[in-house]
Amino acid sequence: MSKGKGGKRVIEVDALARVEGEGALYVRLKGDRIEQLRFSIYEPPRFFEALLEGRDYSDAPDITARICGICPVAYLLGSSQAMESILGLAVSPEVRALRRLIYCGEWIASHVLHVFFLHAPDFLGYDDAIAMAKDHPEMVKDALRLKKIGNALLETIGGRAVHPVNLKVGGFYSVPERERLLTLRDDLTWGMETARALTLRVSSFDFPTLEQDYCCVSLHHPDEYAITEGRLVSDRGLDIPIDAFEQHFDETHVDHSTALHGRMRGREAPYLVGPLARYNNNREQLSDSARALAEAAGLGARVANPFKSIVVRMVEVFYAFEEALRLVDGWTPPAAAAVEGPVRAGQGSGCTEAPRGICYHRYVLDREGRILKARIVPPTSQNQPQMEADLRALVQRNLALPDDELQWLCEQNIRNYDPCISCATHFLRLTVERDARSTRA
Amino acid sequence: MARKRPRLAVWKFSSCDGCQLSLLDCEDDLLAIAERVEIAQFLEASRATAPGPYDLSLVEGSISTPEEIERIKAIRMQSRHLITLGACATAGGIQALRNLREFDQVLASVYAHPDYIDALATATPVSDHVEVDFELRGCPVNKGQLLEVLNAFLNGRPPNVSTYSQCIECKRSGTVCVMVAKGQPCLGPVTQAGCGNVCPACGRGCYGCFGPAEQANTGALSDQLAALGMTERAVRQYYRLFNNNAPAFREESKRHE
């Protein structure tokens, strides 16, 4: 809609985008000043927290997995760990290693899908990976094989790739034989080398200019690049146990979105979670070879350009393959696939590094183990305010671009966050309304 | 002259994306599929969109907002064949649990401002709103079955998808019965096969991802579950997972209220 009076112009996602997809962008400009910018998510609400009330604690992993078909392990594991903290269960080192291993599979499958199917086509100027495959067949075929190996890890340990069935509170229903895991070695070795080559390939893309002063929030673990557990840290001095999450982080419900907006208490500016935040906070804990690869790919000690998240994702893919190999080689089956204990009342939280960033769960149980209260904070809602801040900076820098180029740049920036697959793909329909004083670009 | 390629469209409603992802997870076949069909609409994978009509529409997700009712009707009108993918589109999915509760209470427990939310009190299958040509089961769907259904519709033959129970799948693959051998609860006797036998092979009872099998004898199974020590409440909740709104499971769960 045009609001051409008083030197105003409006950049608006066509209302149809809401019909066809799950997102929208609205920008109102006065002269060269952005008066309002909002990025909305219209994913229909499914009310998981309400549906969990009254269910048994043991139902939480399978039910919450259905929040996201792309990163079910983040939900299976976050809810399981929250329940374990309530019930006072400590899993064995072998179970812990197997959890980290299946999580490597999820990182690989999710990251590779995002990098080559959702994001790389932007950089190379294609509508999709299938069109891209006509000109770059080897790259797409290699990416498909990498993704398949990630899925093979999920299937071997979890029973299936989407919504694995073998994970539970306390561990696993059963554990794979050592020999079965070792059959994955050749593929993992190939995957590691291929991921290295593709990281360098991706690092040669042209990256739009944008440097943001991010407040990076991630897990941090003293002994490893944090994936399944750790303390919550930021590069601004935050260092808290995950149980203290809600004392420091809040969500607000804004009228233009069905995703709640995350914010850090006492901080006006947004914060960032995900690969960039992890890399910036925990780079020292990557393996020597992953750090060397990052350096060869042109990443410094700190990455502030969101468009380079695609390179960071690839470094994490390489690391996940290397880590998976290490875990497969060192793994011995535990005495018991799961640890069990009596049910008791209480409250507990769990938090893991989903491919897109920290995913927090908290549950309150009654003494029979029924869920009284559930709270889940996924990465996308936490990143939403930062996505708006990035878009604001990007639009401001690129006001002179013609409509179609500005639209594509905005879409690409949203995809920097891999917010969730359907939101992250190509859904924006941007209309630029310019005031009478400016010429339509 | 080459025949015109059939036009495929993939649509998302209220869902987790897992069933669409299963299509992208067909790593070995994806590029071949893309050569056989014109992918006219698949937002999860492509920026390019082409207007209808479509030869085949694949629909993921349940109908849970007023806008989704209008959208599914418009899609049906543009589609020669319409196939639902997975438990949400076929039975309403896990979110259909809200159909059993006071919606105001559900809304208030998640959102601070329920008035900002434009959602229906129910999440329902696509077939409640438009005619569906085939319903593919699963939470998520099985890749092999998905390829079979695509193949069948593109070649004008009926899909070869079995409607027998999970028990047959276990017997065929030589998986030891977890209920008989270990006394574990299992929905396998009343659940349609197709997942690839994943749970019993992990030593876990089936939890019903593929919905009720044909002529499922849920009453007899519930008696057996009670004999194994499950309470009425536990039996009720067992049926109330991803296919809670499929008629056979819904009615059986109500018998245990």
Side-chain angles (χ1 to χ4, degrees):
Chain A
M1 73 200 67
S2 176
K3 288 179 185 160
K5 289 182 181 173
K8 284 187 183 177
R9 49 184 180 171
V10 174
I11 300 171
E12 190 177 23
V13 174
D14 194 308
L16 274 174
R18 185 175 182 182
V19 174
E20 292 175 5
E22 292 79 31
L25 176 66
Y26 177 89
V27 189
R28 191 170 70 231
L29 302 153
K30 183 163 187 175
D32 284 343
R33 191 168 63 83
I34 299 171
E35 279 198 334
Q36 191 179 9
L37 184 147
R38 58 189 201 192
F39 166 64
S40 318
I41 289 179
Y42 291 124
E43 185 75 16
R46 292 191 292 147
F47 309 103
F48 274 93
E49 283 119 322
L51 304 182
L52 284 161
E53 289 167 12
R55 303 293 302 213
D56 286 331
Y57 77 92
S58 52
D59 285 344
D62 292 324
I63 291 179
T64 59
R66 268 67 181 184
I67 291 173
C68 180
I70 325 295
C71 58
V73 172
Y75 291 93
L76 288 162
L77 205 48
S79 57
S80 293
Q81 290 178 344
M83 299 307 177
E84 286 155 16
S85 95
I86 298 172
L87 304 181
L89 303 175
V91 304
S92 65
E94 295 88 353
V95 163
R96 189 181 180 282
L98 202 57
R99 283 177 162 178
R100 189 167 168 89
L101 182 57
I102 193 172
Y103 222 131
C104 285
E106 178 155 295
W107 272 25
I108 292 167
S110 174
H111 276 358
V112 170
L113 178 74
H114 183 259
V115 167
F116 294 99
F117 285 81
L118 309 184
H119 213 187
D122 281 337
F123 289 94
L124 298 176
Y126 296 95
D127 281 332
D128 52 53
I130 288 165
M132 192 169 77
K134 292 195 170 66
D135 298 334
H136 305 278
E138 292 312 313
M139 183 172 76
V140 174
K141 280 179 191 160
D142 281 351
L144 282 166
R145 187 169 165 201
L146 288 179
K147 191 163 83 66
K148 192 178 176 185
I149 299 169
N151 281 336
L153 270 174
L154 287 157
E155 286 160 7
T156 304
I157 301 165
R160 71 180 165 201
V162 178
H163 303 322
V165 299
N166 192 26
L167 287 79
K168 63 187 261 189
V169 177
F172 294 87
Y173 287 89
S174 61
V175 293
E177 288 169 5
R178 180 172 156 72
E179 291 67 31
R180 182 131 181 253
L181 284 183
L182 287 173
T183 60
L184 298 170
R185 273 201 108 263
D186 289 351
D187 275 345
L188 292 172
T189 307
W190 178 88
M192 191 173 82
E193 291 314 318
T194 305
R196 189 199 308 273
L198 286 176
T199 303
L200 297 173
R201 176 80 181 272
V202 164
S203 75
S204 71
F205 291 169
D206 282 332
F207 299 98
T209 311
L210 186 66
E211 295 281 312
Q212 292 287 79
D213 184 25
Y214 291 120
C215 171
C216 296
V217 175
S218 70
L219 288 178
H220 175 83
H221 192 280
D223 307 325
E224 61 196 17
Y225 194 70
I227 300 177
T228 59
E229 58 195 75
R231 286 171 67 84
L232 275 166
V233 302
S234 81
D235 52 0
R236 311 288 165 102
L238 182 82
D239 185 357
I240 56 168
I242 59 167
D243 283 335
F245 177 86
E246 288 172 62
Q247 291 158 35
H248 295 268
F249 297 90
D250 195 7
E251 281 180 309
T252 52
H253 187 192
V254 291
D255 66 353
H256 59 269
S257 191
T258 51
L260 300 167
H261 274 201
R263 68 176 182 199
M264 199 187 275
R265 292 183 199 271
R267 184 184 154 82
E268 273 301 302
Y271 65 99
L272 178 77
V273 303
L276 227 58
R278 288 193 289 259
Y279 178 86
N280 287 339
N281 288 352
N282 298 328
R283 178 178 169 277
E284 286 306 312
Q285 289 166 304
L286 284 169
S287 60
D288 291 343
S289 46
R291 264 202 318 277
L293 177 62
E295 202 174 324
L299 301 179
R302 185 175 175 82
V303 180
N305 181 344
F307 291 93
K308 291 196 175 171
S309 62
I310 191 170
V311 186
V312 176
R313 263 186 203 94
M314 279 312 297
V315 169
E316 286 195 339
V317 169
F318 169 83
Y319 174 75
F321 271 110
E322 190 184 31
E323 187 68 354
L325 261 178
R326 186 186 69 79
L327 290 164
V328 164
D329 283 343
W331 195 71
T332 49
V339 56
E340 288 171 29
V343 173
R344 65 188 191 197
Q347 174 174 193
S349 46
C351 187
T352 66
E353 285 284 355
R356 292 149 194 81
I358 53 169
C359 182
Y360 168 84
H361 296 240
R362 176 173 60 89
Y363 300 91
V364 181
L365 300 184
D366 71 10
R367 62 186 183 177
E368 289 173 276
R370 297 178 192 180
I371 298 169
L372 296 172
K373 176 85 190 152
R375 174 110 196 269
I376 298 164
V377 185
T380 296
S381 70
Q382 300 179 72
N383 271 338
Q384 206 173 331
Q386 186 62 60
M387 292 164 78
E388 288 189 347
D390 279 13
L391 285 164
R392 186 180 292 273
L394 194 67
V395 169
Q396 191 72 61
R397 286 184 74 97
N398 294 284
L399 286 169
L401 283 182
D403 292 2
D404 54 344
E405 286 180 35
L406 186 57
Q407 175 188 340
W408 198 326
L409 197 61
C410 286
E411 287 183 14
Q412 188 176 355
N413 181 59
I414 289 166
R415 283 190 283 279
N416 286 334
Y417 284 82
D418 186 13
C420 79
I421 191 158
S422 59
C423 301
T425 40
H426 312 71
F427 62 84
L428 280 179
R429 185 170 300 186
L430 189 68
T431 319
V432 185
E433 301 282 348
R434 313 238 181 202
D435 68 80
R437 291 184 299 128
S438 64
T439 25
R440 205 169 173 92
Chain B
M1 203 173 92
R3 272 183 60 196
K4 213 177 151 203
R5 290 182 302 164
R7 308 185 76 225
L8 176 75
V10 184
W11 309 96
K12 175 185 153 70
F13 287 78
S14 300
S15 63
C16 78
D17 282 286
C19 291
Q20 291 185 72
L21 179 64
S22 298
L23 187 54
L24 293 176
D25 276 352
C26 297
E27 289 99 357
D28 296 334
D29 305 289
L30 192 62
L31 295 177
I33 294 170
E35 281 177 12
R36 287 283 319 278
V37 301
E38 178 197 342
I39 299 176
Q41 182 83 237
F42 187 4
L43 278 178
E44 180 164 317
S46 180
R47 186 171 205 272
T49 58
Y54 309 103
D55 292 298
L56 179 58
S57 274
L58 303 176
V59 178
E60 174 193 91
S62 59
I63 306 302
S64 78
T65 68
E67 173 269 313
E68 287 185 333
I69 295 178
E70 297 312 311
R71 189 153 59 94
I72 192 64
K73 286 179 180 164
I75 289 169
R76 174 72 264 189
M77 284 175 68
Q78 298 179 77
S79 307
R80 195 151 73 90
H81 298 294
L82 187 151
I83 296 174
T84 59
L85 290 192
C88 293
T90 300
I94 186 72
Q95 57 271 18
L97 283 174
R98 77 182 194 234
N99 304 2
L100 300 162
R101 295 185 41 183
E102 285 295 324
F103 188 53
D104 288 349
Q105 188 200 340
V106 171
L107 261 180
S109 90
V110 180
Y111 292 100
H113 299 286
D115 47 313
Y116 292 172
I117 300 295
D118 189 17
L120 296 168
T122 56
T124 44
V126 171
S127 62
D128 279 10
H129 305 276
V130 298
E131 195 185 326
V132 172
D133 296 296
F134 188 80
E135 295 180 319
L136 187 61
R137 304 281 193 88
C139 183
V141 295
N142 172 283
K143 282 195 298 188
Q145 287 197 339
L146 178 57
L147 287 174
E148 160 59 19
V149 168
L150 275 178
N151 238 318
F153 273 85
L154 295 174
N155 291 295
R157 63 170 173 83
N160 181 13
V161 172
S162 304
T163 53
Y164 51 66
S165 76
Q166 173 61 40
C167 289
I168 309 288
E169 216 172 13
C170 272
K171 301 291 173 290
R172 281 196 170 156
S173 60
T175 305
V176 174
C177 177
V178 295
M179 187 148 34
V180 171
K182 299 188 200 164
Q184 289 178 356
C186 182
L187 287 181
V190 298
T191 298
Q192 183 168 304
C195 66
N197 196 35
V198 289
C199 283
C202 289
R204 168 183 192 181
C206 164
Y207 61 100
C209 295
F210 276 61
E214 210 167 59
Q215 296 179 321
N217 189 347
T218 50
L221 178 69
S222 298
D223 291 347
Q224 180 61 22
L225 294 173
L228 290 172
M230 283 179 90
T231 62
E232 282 285 276
R233 175 178 167 277
V235 170
R236 182 172 73 236
Q237 297 216 333
Y238 204 15
Y239 289 106
R240 289 186 177 166
L241 284 162
F242 313 105
N243 286 284
N244 64 80
N245 191 47
F249 284 4
R250 185 179 62 216
E251 297 315 314
E252 185 61 24
S253 78
K254 284 184 177 168
R255 276 196 276 278
H256 300 273
E257 275 183 341

